[in-house]
Amino acid sequence: MRMAPGGPFDGERKLPPEIEANLLAAYNMDQPLYLQYFDYLAGLLVGDFGPSFKYKDFTVTELIWSGFPISFELGMWAMLIGIIFGIGFGCYAALRQNTPGDYLVMSTAMAGIAIPNFVMAPILTLVFGVMLGWLPAGGWNDGAWQNKVLPILALALPQVAYIARMTRGSMIEVMGAQFIRTARAKGISERKVVTRHALKSALLPVISYLGPATAGVITGSVVIEQIFGIPGIGRYFVQAALNRDYTLVMGTVVFYGGLIILFNLLVDLIYGWLDPQIRYE
Amino acid sequence: MSNATFAAQGDSLMKDALRRLFLNRATLVSTLLLSVMAISCFFGPLFFSIELDDVSWEFMGTPPGEGGHWFGTDTNGRDLLLRSLYGGQISLTVALIATLVSLVIGVSYGAISGYMGGRVDNLMMRFVDILYSMPFMFLVILMMVVFGRSILLIYIAIGAVEWLDMARIVRGQTLTLKRKEFVEAAHALGVSDRQIILRHIIPNALGPVIVYVTLTVPKVILLESFLSFLGLGVQEPMTSWGVLISEGTANMEGAPWQLFFPAAMLAITLFCLNFIGDGLRDALDPKSR
Amino acid sequence: MNVHTSATAPALPILTIDDLHIDFALHTGTVQAVRGISFELYKGETLALVGESGSGKSITAQSILQLLPEPVRYTQGSIQYQQQELIGASTTAIRKVRGDRIAMIFQEPMTSLNPLQSIEHQVAEVLIEHKGMTRRQAAARVLELFQLVEIPDPKRRLKAYPHELSGGQRQRVMIAMALACEPDILIADEPTTALDVTIQAQVMALLKGLQHKFGMAILFITHDLGVVHQFADRVCVMRKGQLVEQGITEAVFSQPQHPYTCELLDSEPSGNKPPVSQDAPVILDAKQVQVEFPIRAGFLGRVVNQFRAVDGISLTLRQGQTVGIVGESGSGKSTLGKALLKLLDGHGDIHFDGIQIDGLEPLAMRPLRRKMQVVFQDPFGSLSPRMTIGEIIAEGLKVHEPLMRPDQRDEAVCAALEEVAISPASRNRYPHEFSGGQRQRIAIARAMVLKPKFLLLDEPTSALDRSVQVRVIELLRELQDKHKLTYLFISHDLAVVRALSDHVMVMRTGEVVEQGPTEEIFNCPQQAYTRELIAAACPLGSSAERACNPA
């Protein structure tokens, strides 16, 4: 990656050559590329992502750990809201298929999908922050709850929309399945038919979507943190990308990659636990 | 299907699906709206006497309508309508090229994997599984950081990460079609492998692929505007909806129209594409028949 | 046969259906699925509702428990369970009847059970709901029920999930669930159609035994006249939503009153095929054919074992002969057929028309392909859905006679269609516009247009209704006589095999159980398995014994 033209120290002014040489040496950049690469890999193994190029006093690891708790908190809330409301709205729409309620939920969900969160976030700020003045329009304020509401909402809305659409689709399919007819023939109430028999089957596709949903929330957090000025990993990442801060970009990508793989693993485990047909395979 | 009313000319499945598709009013309206959007983005700028980066000094950050600027101007006094149309060009071109890239990679990868079967298939699909768990947005950004920002690279980078689903779908289709009795019947007739793929497998796999393409297009457009919004996409003086929205967000308190117009255009395009995708899926879904 | 004459009608029927009309309001128009049917069900009897697909028999059955999905409309008539009207009854009232007083079992035991719940849980649910049992009480009762329906090793299977059971066992679970509350009425909607014949016989025997024990009435929905003859006390014949005839089973079978009933009874395949002379030329000669499938496992799908689907089978087919291969699912009969045509890789010597074809390259094989053709089972899957039937039939000609002029080819296609009694004018239509029987004719035309010597018929009539089946069988007979064709006929349906073939081979788990001239095998089978198969198929007897005098 360092074969690309331009470097992190190409500032406004041209640095005197000896200073540049010193800098490069400090970051091991005077060594051949393959050595740099192996050094980096060795560092990764012990959790060392190397020093940041731009935030000169911090290592990448320190930067990631300072931003992570904040990003994690926002992400978790967003996922939670996405799952609860998504499943709720999806079931509601599925069980009232082709009624005004269904149409309302589904067209709202379509809006949630079609309006990207970097449009949604400014709109939310404009309405609740500027026009109504209920909540602060941005900033972090050391994690006061008022400052968290809008970013969490902006992160969660697309997930609510996706999960609602998915739940509705699979719920409708399951409700037409033959084992639902069997359940009805047993004489149990419609509410029990839904909660005991349909819900679990209908949620399987939603469970397997949780992996991609995590990736979606993480991706979304990059732009949301940027818009609201939240000191999470996402914001560091964008700054790093704009500044060509290689180690920080690389470190964040590796960190997120690991996180997403971890989540996918977790989702697979949950899925296997829920679906006996997978469990025994 | 009654025997009495057999006309000489049959209805192909495709014709049937198209008829169903346009019975769906949301899809019909979306298709028309999208066509209007595409035509105005590509041909609209021809009717302007000004250029993309022409600055009108007397109208800086004016609201819509003033001085013949229907969408108003940005803070530098550039016409927002013209800029939005150019932005649309970028978005739609990205959609076209990146989708094409993903289509080519995905279809050939999936078809090869499915048709070869066995261990080759297994290895190829494991590779896809591994790539699946990668955070794509970040890989694209990494590519932008490493190779510098060129518009061509955006096309390729997005296409290169969006082919996974396509490969899976095509593989699944190939696998089921390979086992269908009409393919076996063709084997029994002595039809060659090449002809079987061309005449029997590809035409029948097309339905799901078309549906998936229409769902990839909005994803790709979103990805590009996302990058541009972050400042990692197209560079000045070229612009895109993402860049315009980003600029609009910065000035939304004083000049909300700068956010409104490009955001509305982007949202309408995404709306239409999603509706068309949904409509196509319903129309081509064998279960709805 | 064992007709229960003991079930003489008591004063009051327990279920009365009177002038029932059922409509479905679809956006393409209203479909009248059931048009004015009336019948009564009495305590302890078995009433069969017989009809072909589309006769409305399943819809009638489901209407009793009000299980039909929207947009169903009950426009007229009544359904009364012991004087209680079920149409339009409140959901609570219906729920008290469902599963408790009237229980139901369905055709597909796999999809009718919840895949995510253990079978114990699913059966216990009925008991907890209707009998107010605790979980523990219910569990004990479920075990009893499983013993009652003869699920092997019931204790260990309690916690099993549906996918871990065989088809027959799943249907037993469904029966256990239905009998849990000892209902007055059991509605069985094609309960054995998805099962192999031997399993089918076991399940029917079980149902009959349980009926004796509990004294419930069974409403039995089926298309299989053989099963009706053997198990039902009374029978109702349905056609296009109407009831054409009802009566005591013996009477209906021996003296049918309605022409449609006659047609149904006569649609039982009949006739036989005289053997060909021993010096007719040999068309296909195969020795020690073996087919193995690799069993893969692990991360990269390593081959861990071989599954032997066909294990050393030899057979000889002479010109004009029809060899029938019978066997249940998994017996390897279809695999054998495909291996003989080299549609699958196998081992063993195969000579076709005097040429050794094992080990032949695909290119060298191609000219031989036109002499050996196939007709498959599935009339929906065997025609490419995006080609017109004209193109489908012409495809073989394009491969084998590339120099043929388009108008000549068109002529050949028309001739082939005429031969199978499909109007050549419809050759520009697509497969989905034809009915199942018509599609099977088209598949036969596709094979016949090449003027083959040998046809592999892989369950060509299994997906068709009996009356349609008979016509396809007639067509196959005509074609054989006219063109001196040789058939290899694969089927699980013994009646069809008996009617069409002069030599029969019985297969089980990849091996030949028994083979010989058809009449010998059917009249004095030597092996226990063959006897079991023939007994399970319960044939109806020939139409000659029947006095057909429609009113």
Side-chain angles (χ1 to χ4, degrees), chain B residues 44 210 231 243 264:
Chain B
I210 290 173
V243 174

Side-chain angles (χ1 to χ4, degrees), chain B:
Chain B
M1 245 209 260
S2 87
N3 312 6
T5 56
F6 258 4
Q9 195 61 42
D11 267 345
S12 78
L13 286 178
M14 209 33 121
K15 242 196 268 169
D16 199 35
L18 276 180
R19 196 176 38 230
R20 249 200 316 272
L21 180 64
F22 289 117
L23 275 180
N24 183 340
R25 220 171 312 147
T27 317
L28 187 66
V29 172
S30 298
T31 313
L32 292 177
L33 213 57
L34 193 66
S35 315
V36 171
M37 180 74 77
I39 291 169
S40 39
C41 283
F42 283 96
F43 299 105
L46 299 177
F47 298 97
F48 280 78
S49 52
I50 44 172
E51 286 295 312
L52 174 64
D53 44 358
D54 272 354
V55 171
S56 57
W57 298 102
E58 62 273 40
F59 296 107
M60 281 165 91
T62 46
E66 280 178 40
H69 301 289
W70 292 356
F71 282 12
T73 57
D74 69 3
T75 23
N76 295 329
R78 295 176 296 192
D79 184 76
L80 200 58
L81 174 58
L82 186 61
R83 288 181 71 74
S84 297
L85 291 179
Y86 270 113
Q89 271 187 28
I90 293 287
S91 289
L92 293 174
T93 324
V94 166
L96 211 68
I97 296 183
T99 307
L100 222 60
V101 171
S102 82
L103 192 70
V104 169
I105 303 179
V107 170
S108 37
Y109 194 93
I112 290 171
S113 182
Y115 203 77
M116 300 285 269
R119 185 174 291 193
V120 178
D121 177 37
N122 229 312
L123 273 174
M124 286 176 83
M125 281 301 123
R126 289 291 163 203
F127 179 64
V128 169
D129 283 347
I130 292 167
L131 288 186
Y132 242 109
S133 52
M134 299 278 183
F136 274 116
M137 176 59 65
F138 300 102
L139 283 191
V140 174
I141 294 177
L142 194 65
M143 282 161 95
M144 309 301 313
V145 172
V146 173
F147 298 112
R149 293 164 211 159
S150 86
I151 185 80
L152 193 69
L153 190 69
I154 296 182
Y155 297 155
I156 295 170
I158 295 177
V161 300
E162 286 293 341
W163 62 272
L164 293 175
D165 285 310
M166 188 68 77
R168 277 193 170 177
I169 286 166
V170 173
R171 170 185 173 267
Q173 283 291 313
T174 315
L175 277 183
T176 42
L177 287 172
K178 211 171 67 170
R179 281 195 286 265
K180 277 277 169 75
E181 288 185 338
F182 64 80
V183 171
E184 224 160 343
H187 270 298
L189 287 171
V191 182
S192 65
D193 274 355
R194 207 176 69 93
Q195 287 296 321
I196 286 178
I197 294 180
L198 286 180
R199 263 215 295 267
H200 295 279
I201 291 187
I202 290 184
N204 285 300
L206 226 52
V209 169
I210 290 173
V211 172
Y212 195 71
V213 165
T214 51
L215 295 176
T216 308
V217 172
K219 270 209 281 206
V220 166
I221 291 182
L222 199 60
L223 208 60
E224 183 277 331
S225 18
F226 184 93
L227 288 175
S228 298
F229 180 88
L230 292 177
L232 295 164
V234 295
Q235 300 292 297
E236 290 281 338
M238 261 328 274
T239 188
S240 97
W241 286 337
V243 174
L244 292 171
I245 291 169
S246 165
E247 286 167 0
T249 307
N251 304 319
M252 67 182 173
E253 283 177 51
W257 66 88
Q258 291 183 12
L259 172 63
F260 175 77
F261 288 110
M265 284 174 80
L266 174 62
I268 288 171
T269 308
L270 293 175
F271 251 114
C272 291
L273 284 164
N274 278 306
F275 271 124
I276 294 171
D278 272 13
L280 264 175
R281 191 178 47 206
D282 290 346
L284 292 172
D285 185 1
K287 268 185 264 170
S288 69
R289 209 163 288 140

Side-chain angles (χ1 to χ4, degrees), chain A residues 189-200:
Chain A
S189 68
E190 195 62 23
R191 195 176 55 82
K192 280 184 191 162
V193 169
V194 172
T195 52
R196 291 210 194 139
H197 291 273
L199 198 60
K200 206 167 155 191

Side-chain angles (χ1 to χ4, degrees), chain A residues 181-182 184-186 192 197, chain C residues 106 112 122 125 129-130:
Chain A
R181 191 179 58 184
T182 309
R184 289 198 180 121
K186 285 177 181 176
K192 280 184 191 162
H197 291 273
Chain C
F106 301 97
S112 296
Q122 296 187 51
E125 191 178 14
E129 181 73 30
H130 293 295

Side-chain angles (χ1 to χ4, degrees), chain A residues 70-72 74-75 117-118 121 151 154-155 214-242 249 252-253 255-256 260, chain B residues 135-139 141-142 223 226-232:
Chain A
I70 295 168
S71 299
F72 185 76
L74 294 185
N117 52 13
F118 55 87
L155 266 182
T214 319
V217 166
I218 290 177
T219 313
S221 74
V222 170
V223 63
I224 296 297
E225 286 174 13
Q226 184 77 1
I227 292 172
F228 288 98
I230 294 166
I233 309 186
R235 193 152 162 243
Y236 285 130
F237 178 69
V238 177
Q239 293 310 316
L242 291 169
V249 170
T252 318
V253 171
F255 178 77
Y256 275 154
I260 288 171
Chain B
F136 274 116
M137 176 59 65
F138 300 102
L139 283 191
I141 294 177
L142 194 65
L223 208 60
F226 184 93
L227 288 175
S228 298
F229 180 88
L230 292 177
L232 295 164

